Amino acid sequence: MSNKAVWNETLIEKNVTYSIELNGQFFLIENVPARVNIETGEQHFSPETVERLHQAVWEQCQPVRTIQTPVYEYTDLPFETD
């Protein structure tokens, strides 16, 4: 009997939204090609895609739109007690 773990991943090609924080600013890049694990949702990007994403953020390309988003502190969130 083998002690090797059997890991079967099912990956599908899908366009996703990629987010990154740089110097306190958040950037979202939509419609990024990725391979997504259908069981876990984990996203896998090709090295070329990662390079292009980082280049876009570092060079601060012109965005197609800007959004405003609320920010919460986890420790300030209400919680229920039993």
Side-chain angles (χ1 to χ4, degrees):
M1 183 184 245
S2 173
N3 289 336
K4 290 184 182 178
V6 177
W7 187 263
N8 292 323
E9 284 187 307
T10 303
L11 301 176
I12 59 170
E13 298 289 328
K14 188 175 178 182
N15 285 345
V16 300
T17 299
Y18 180 85
S19 62
I20 187 171
E21 178 191 3
L22 178 66
N23 299 325
Q25 272 191 297
F26 284 94
F27 298 87
L28 298 176
I29 303 174
E30 298 176 315
N31 297 311
V32 179
R35 293 181 320 163
V36 179
N37 182 313
I38 63 171
E39 288 84 22
T40 66
E42 183 177 9
Q43 300 172 351
H44 303 269
F45 302 98
S46 72
E48 295 82 13
T49 298
V50 172
E51 180 63 32
R52 189 170 176 189
L53 292 169
H54 289 177
Q55 182 180 10
V57 172
W58 280 105
E59 293 179 6
Q60 300 215 355
C61 296
Q62 182 67 34
V64 294
R65 71 180 189 281
T66 301
I67 62 171
Q68 183 178 350
T69 187
V71 177
Y72 300 94
E73 178 66 42
Y74 180 78
T75 57
D76 293 340
L77 296 176
F79 62 93
E80 293 183 25
T81 59
D82 293 341

